[in-house]
Amino acid sequence: MAQAVDASKNLPSDPRNREVVFPPFRDPQKGNLETPINASPLTKWFINNLPAYRPGITPSRRGLEVGMAHGYWIFGPFAKLGPLRDTANANLAGLLAAIGLIVLLTAGLSLYANSNPPKALASVTVPNPPVDAFNSKESWNNFASSFLIGGIGGAVVAYFLTSNLGVIQGLFG
């Protein structure tokens, strides 16, 4: 009996070892760990379909998608939780604050692009990172400039939807 238990410790396919943390790619010299969360097919599918890791798109398109998402969700906290939330100009203040933060984030991306960032490494969750996306200053700067455009566009869309919510609700019932 003890021999069977000892033999199962080194066998990942044994059902008793399904919830155990392993070294990535079964190599104990790597610094990341393969857990049931980051190695699950659902997590891998989700992370690999994000714009930063999706294969076959340009850095400009990546920046545009990331910027649109961030501009859209950054608007809400500024408009609805900011100091001007109870005024008539709350949405405009939220739009201006979101645009200001997007500009600061773009400046941070540009500074990072000029610092010679390392290339993306393969991990358990992203075994094949895009090699053409973030491998030069030019691609990082394309990402940053598209992030600015997408971020401002996302904030403007959120402002438009929030400011015209009554009209939009009237159109759909």
Side-chain angles (χ1 to χ4, degrees), residues 89-119:
N89 294 326
N91 291 339
L92 182 61
L95 173 66
L96 295 176
I99 289 174
L101 183 57
I102 292 293
V103 168
L104 290 174
L105 291 172
T106 303
L109 278 171
S110 296
L111 287 172
Y112 184 72
N114 290 318
S115 70
N116 286 333
K119 294 185 180 184

Short mmCIF file of all heavy atoms in Angstrom, two decimals, residues 89-119:
data_model
loop_
_atom_site.label_atom_id
_atom_site.label_comp_id
_atom_site.label_asym_id
_atom_site.label_seq_id
_atom_site.Cartn_x
_atom_site.Cartn_y
_atom_site.Cartn_z
N ASN A 89 -22.88 69.24 -13.88
CA ASN A 89 -21.72 69.00 -14.74
C ASN A 89 -20.91 67.77 -14.32
O ASN A 89 -19.73 67.68 -14.65
CB ASN A 89 -20.81 70.23 -14.74
CG ASN A 89 -21.48 71.43 -15.38
OD1 ASN A 89 -22.26 71.26 -16.31
ND2 ASN A 89 -21.19 72.61 -14.87
N ALA A 90 -21.51 66.85 -13.61
CA ALA A 90 -20.78 65.68 -13.13
C ALA A 90 -20.24 64.84 -14.28
O ALA A 90 -19.10 64.37 -14.24
CB ALA A 90 -21.68 64.84 -12.24
N ASN A 91 -21.06 64.66 -15.32
CA ASN A 91 -20.60 63.84 -16.44
C ASN A 91 -19.46 64.52 -17.20
O ASN A 91 -18.51 63.85 -17.62
CB ASN A 91 -21.76 63.54 -17.39
CG ASN A 91 -22.75 62.60 -16.77
OD1 ASN A 91 -22.45 61.87 -15.84
ND2 ASN A 91 -23.98 62.62 -17.30
N LEU A 92 -19.54 65.82 -17.37
CA LEU A 92 -18.46 66.55 -18.04
C LEU A 92 -17.18 66.49 -17.21
O LEU A 92 -16.09 66.30 -17.76
CB LEU A 92 -18.88 67.99 -18.31
CG LEU A 92 -17.85 68.85 -19.04
CD1 LEU A 92 -17.56 68.25 -20.42
CD2 LEU A 92 -18.33 70.28 -19.14
N ALA A 93 -17.30 66.63 -15.90
CA ALA A 93 -16.12 66.53 -15.04
C ALA A 93 -15.53 65.12 -15.10
O ALA A 93 -14.31 64.96 -15.13
CB ALA A 93 -16.50 66.88 -13.59
N GLY A 94 -16.38 64.10 -15.15
CA GLY A 94 -15.91 62.73 -15.28
C GLY A 94 -15.20 62.50 -16.60
O GLY A 94 -14.17 61.83 -16.66
N LEU A 95 -15.73 63.10 -17.68
CA LEU A 95 -15.10 62.97 -18.99
C LEU A 95 -13.72 63.62 -18.98
O LEU A 95 -12.73 63.02 -19.43
CB LEU A 95 -15.97 63.61 -20.08
CG LEU A 95 -15.34 63.70 -21.47
CD1 LEU A 95 -15.14 62.31 -22.04
CD2 LEU A 95 -16.20 64.55 -22.38
N LEU A 96 -13.62 64.83 -18.46
CA LEU A 96 -12.34 65.53 -18.44
C LEU A 96 -11.33 64.83 -17.54
O LEU A 96 -10.14 64.74 -17.88
CB LEU A 96 -12.54 66.98 -18.01
CG LEU A 96 -13.37 67.84 -18.98
CD1 LEU A 96 -13.60 69.22 -18.41
CD2 LEU A 96 -12.72 67.90 -20.35
N ALA A 97 -11.78 64.31 -16.41
CA ALA A 97 -10.87 63.58 -15.52
C ALA A 97 -10.40 62.28 -16.17
O ALA A 97 -9.22 61.92 -16.06
CB ALA A 97 -11.56 63.30 -14.19
N ALA A 98 -11.30 61.59 -16.84
CA ALA A 98 -10.92 60.34 -17.52
C ALA A 98 -9.92 60.61 -18.63
O ALA A 98 -8.93 59.89 -18.79
CB ALA A 98 -12.15 59.64 -18.06
N ILE A 99 -10.15 61.67 -19.40
CA ILE A 99 -9.21 62.03 -20.46
C ILE A 99 -7.86 62.40 -19.86
O ILE A 99 -6.80 62.02 -20.38
CB ILE A 99 -9.78 63.16 -21.34
CG1 ILE A 99 -10.93 62.61 -22.18
CG2 ILE A 99 -8.71 63.77 -22.23
CD1 ILE A 99 -11.68 63.65 -22.98
N GLY A 100 -7.86 63.13 -18.75
CA GLY A 100 -6.60 63.48 -18.09
C GLY A 100 -5.84 62.25 -17.63
O GLY A 100 -4.62 62.16 -17.81
N LEU A 101 -6.54 61.28 -17.07
CA LEU A 101 -5.87 60.05 -16.63
C LEU A 101 -5.37 59.25 -17.82
O LEU A 101 -4.27 58.68 -17.77
CB LEU A 101 -6.82 59.21 -15.77
CG LEU A 101 -6.21 57.92 -15.20
CD1 LEU A 101 -4.98 58.23 -14.36
CD2 LEU A 101 -7.24 57.18 -14.37
N ILE A 102 -6.12 59.20 -18.90
CA ILE A 102 -5.67 58.50 -20.11
C ILE A 102 -4.40 59.14 -20.65
O ILE A 102 -3.47 58.45 -21.08
CB ILE A 102 -6.79 58.48 -21.18
CG1 ILE A 102 -7.96 57.62 -20.72
CG2 ILE A 102 -6.27 58.02 -22.53
CD1 ILE A 102 -7.67 56.15 -20.61
N VAL A 103 -4.32 60.47 -20.63
CA VAL A 103 -3.11 61.16 -21.09
C VAL A 103 -1.92 60.79 -20.19
O VAL A 103 -0.82 60.53 -20.68
CB VAL A 103 -3.35 62.69 -21.14
CG1 VAL A 103 -2.05 63.45 -21.32
CG2 VAL A 103 -4.32 63.02 -22.25
N LEU A 104 -2.14 60.75 -18.88
CA LEU A 104 -1.06 60.36 -17.97
C LEU A 104 -0.63 58.91 -18.18
O LEU A 104 0.56 58.59 -18.16
CB LEU A 104 -1.50 60.57 -16.52
CG LEU A 104 -1.65 62.02 -16.06
CD1 LEU A 104 -2.22 62.07 -14.66
CD2 LEU A 104 -0.33 62.74 -16.14
N LEU A 105 -1.59 58.03 -18.40
CA LEU A 105 -1.26 56.63 -18.66
C LEU A 105 -0.50 56.47 -19.98
O LEU A 105 0.42 55.66 -20.08
CB LEU A 105 -2.53 55.78 -18.68
CG LEU A 105 -3.24 55.60 -17.34
CD1 LEU A 105 -4.58 54.90 -17.53
CD2 LEU A 105 -2.37 54.85 -16.37
N THR A 106 -0.85 57.27 -20.98
CA THR A 106 -0.14 57.24 -22.25
C THR A 106 1.29 57.73 -22.08
O THR A 106 2.23 57.18 -22.67
CB THR A 106 -0.87 58.08 -23.30
OG1 THR A 106 -2.22 57.60 -23.42
CG2 THR A 106 -0.19 58.01 -24.65
N ALA A 107 1.48 58.76 -21.27
CA ALA A 107 2.83 59.24 -20.99
C ALA A 107 3.65 58.15 -20.29
O ALA A 107 4.83 57.95 -20.60
CB ALA A 107 2.78 60.50 -20.13
N GLY A 108 3.02 57.43 -19.37
CA GLY A 108 3.70 56.32 -18.71
C GLY A 108 4.07 55.21 -19.69
O GLY A 108 5.16 54.64 -19.62
N LEU A 109 3.17 54.91 -20.62
CA LEU A 109 3.47 53.90 -21.64
C LEU A 109 4.63 54.35 -22.53
O LEU A 109 5.50 53.54 -22.89
CB LEU A 109 2.24 53.63 -22.51
CG LEU A 109 1.21 52.67 -21.97
CD1 LEU A 109 -0.04 52.69 -22.85
CD2 LEU A 109 1.77 51.28 -21.89
N SER A 110 4.67 55.62 -22.87
CA SER A 110 5.75 56.13 -23.70
C SER A 110 7.08 56.08 -22.96
O SER A 110 8.12 55.75 -23.56
CB SER A 110 5.46 57.56 -24.15
OG SER A 110 4.32 57.58 -24.97
N LEU A 111 7.07 56.41 -21.68
CA LEU A 111 8.30 56.29 -20.89
C LEU A 111 8.76 54.84 -20.81
O LEU A 111 9.96 54.55 -20.92
CB LEU A 111 8.08 56.85 -19.49
CG LEU A 111 7.98 58.37 -19.37
CD1 LEU A 111 7.57 58.75 -17.96
CD2 LEU A 111 9.30 59.01 -19.74
N TYR A 112 7.83 53.94 -20.62
CA TYR A 112 8.18 52.52 -20.56
C TYR A 112 8.74 52.04 -21.90
O TYR A 112 9.68 51.25 -21.94
CB TYR A 112 6.97 51.69 -20.15
CG TYR A 112 7.28 50.23 -19.97
CD1 TYR A 112 8.02 49.79 -18.88
CD2 TYR A 112 6.84 49.29 -20.88
CE1 TYR A 112 8.32 48.45 -18.71
CE2 TYR A 112 7.14 47.95 -20.72
CZ TYR A 112 7.87 47.54 -19.63
OH TYR A 112 8.17 46.22 -19.46
N ALA A 113 8.16 52.53 -22.99
CA ALA A 113 8.64 52.13 -24.31
C ALA A 113 10.09 52.54 -24.54
O ALA A 113 10.83 51.84 -25.21
CB ALA A 113 7.75 52.74 -25.39
N ASN A 114 10.50 53.65 -23.97
CA ASN A 114 11.86 54.15 -24.16
C ASN A 114 12.85 53.58 -23.15
O ASN A 114 14.00 53.99 -23.14
CB ASN A 114 11.87 55.67 -24.12
CG ASN A 114 11.19 56.24 -25.34
OD1 ASN A 114 11.39 55.76 -26.45
ND2 ASN A 114 10.36 57.26 -25.14
N SER A 115 12.42 52.66 -22.32
CA SER A 115 13.32 52.07 -21.33
C SER A 115 13.86 50.71 -21.75
O SER A 115 14.43 50.00 -20.94
CB SER A 115 12.60 51.93 -19.99
OG SER A 115 11.61 50.91 -20.09
N ASN A 116 13.69 50.34 -23.02
CA ASN A 116 14.09 49.03 -23.53
C ASN A 116 13.50 47.89 -22.70
O ASN A 116 14.23 47.15 -22.05
CB ASN A 116 15.61 48.90 -23.58
CG ASN A 116 16.21 49.69 -24.70
OD1 ASN A 116 15.56 49.93 -25.70
ND2 ASN A 116 17.46 50.10 -24.53
N PRO A 117 12.19 47.74 -22.71
CA PRO A 117 11.57 46.68 -21.92
C PRO A 117 11.96 45.30 -22.45
O PRO A 117 12.21 45.14 -23.65
CB PRO A 117 10.07 46.93 -22.07
CG PRO A 117 9.94 47.72 -23.31
CD PRO A 117 11.19 48.50 -23.47
N PRO A 118 12.02 44.31 -21.58
CA PRO A 118 12.36 42.96 -22.03
C PRO A 118 11.23 42.36 -22.86
O PRO A 118 10.07 42.75 -22.76
CB PRO A 118 12.56 42.19 -20.73
CG PRO A 118 11.74 42.93 -19.74
CD PRO A 118 11.78 44.37 -20.14
N LYS A 119 11.58 41.38 -23.65
CA LYS A 119 10.58 40.69 -24.46
C LYS A 119 9.73 39.80 -23.56
O LYS A 119 10.16 39.37 -22.50
CB LYS A 119 11.26 39.86 -25.53
CG LYS A 119 11.98 40.71 -26.53
CD LYS A 119 12.55 39.92 -27.65
CE LYS A 119 13.23 40.92 -28.57
NZ LYS A 119 13.77 40.37 -29.74
#
